[in-house]
């Protein structure tokens, strides 16, 4: 099976996740056997080999948004 597990920090908060999308409140996702859920975190890493999605705190500002905006501007 290719479903993922979602972790918030070191804690597994969901398994059998079939899709996931970032939203303003965090991350919305659906599981194979259940309904929609929202986790209050932001995607830090997706490991396709182990089917693991790692979330970190929402309030963490490590400057990535500015880096991505700068990289996008450099491509124009």
């Amino acid at each position: 099976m290719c479903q993922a597990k979602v972790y918030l920090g070191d804690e597994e908060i969901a398994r059998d996740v079939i899709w996931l999308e970032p939203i303003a409140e965090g991350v919305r996702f659906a599981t194979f056997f259940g309904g929609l859920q929202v986790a209050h975190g932001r995607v830090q890493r997706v490991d396709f080999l182990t089917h693991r999605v790692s979330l970190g705190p929402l309030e963490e500002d490590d400057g990535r948004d500015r880096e991505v905006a700068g990289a996008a501007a450099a491509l124009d």
Side-chain angles (χ1 to χ4, degrees), residues 1-6 14-21 28-36 53:
M1 293 187 147
C2 294
Q3 292 84 17
K5 292 180 183 177
V6 177
R15 57 177 51 208
D16 300 320
V17 173
I18 55 174
W19 65 261
L20 170 140
E21 72 176 322
R28 179 175 37 207
F29 57 90
T31 62
F32 191 75
F33 300 106
L36 292 174
V53 177

Side-chain angles (χ1 to χ4, degrees), residues 8-49:
L8 184 56
D10 293 329
E11 178 185 356
E12 181 183 310
I13 60 170
R15 57 177 51 208
D16 300 320
V17 173
I18 55 174
W19 65 261
L20 170 140
E21 72 176 322
I23 59 174
E25 298 82 17
V27 178
R28 179 175 37 207
F29 57 90
T31 62
F32 191 75
F33 300 106
L36 292 174
Q37 298 180 38
V38 174
H40 298 285
R42 63 187 260 182
V43 176
Q44 286 186 323
R45 174 175 289 168
V46 178
D47 186 329
F48 294 106
L49 185 62

